[in-house]
Amino acid sequence: MILFFGTRPGKTQIKTLKQVICPYCKQRGSLRASEATHYFHLFWIKIFKIAAHTIAECAHCKRTYYKGEFTEEMNKALKG
């Protein structure tokens, strides 16, 4: 019997963080957060999520923030 299994990326979700101020350049509403996920698959069917990576980038100053660098305001905007 042949089994096809492995990992593959899921769809990247992008969300604009409105009313959130960039901590570096102080511009409001210029942050975009993107979450990339990776799944374990069996016969090209997603079974479970292996990892998720979330980053935010400011469109004004191009500063990138990783999940550990998010402010409380950023985390609240992502959940809400």
Side-chain angles (χ1 to χ4, degrees), residues 2 4 15 20 26 35-37 40 43-45 54 58 60 62 72-73 79:
I2 297 174
F4 292 101
K15 183 177 181 181
V20 178
K26 308 298 185 214
E35 181 181 25
T37 56
F40 175 80
F43 289 107
W44 301 280
I45 299 171
T54 305
C58 178
H60 182 259
K62 304 298 184 206
E72 245 182 75
E73 189 180 16
K79 291 179 184 174

Side-chain angles (χ1 to χ4, degrees), residues 2-3 13 16-17 19-22 24 35 38-39 42 48 56-57 59 64-65 71 74-76 78-79:
I2 297 174
L3 291 175
Q13 297 177 351
T16 302
L17 304 179
Q19 303 303 321
V20 178
I21 298 171
C22 174
Y24 187 73
E35 181 181 25
H38 289 278
Y39 290 91
L42 180 63
F48 57 88
E57 183 181 22
T64 302
Y65 299 96
T71 62
M74 292 170 154
N75 286 324
K76 285 180 185 177
L78 278 175
K79 291 179 184 174

Side-chain angles (χ1 to χ4, degrees), residues 18-36:
K18 297 177 183 173
Q19 303 303 321
V20 178
I21 298 171
C22 174
Y24 187 73
C25 68
K26 308 298 185 214
Q27 291 290 316
R28 182 179 301 274
S30 63
L31 288 170
R32 287 181 37 164
S34 60
E35 181 181 25

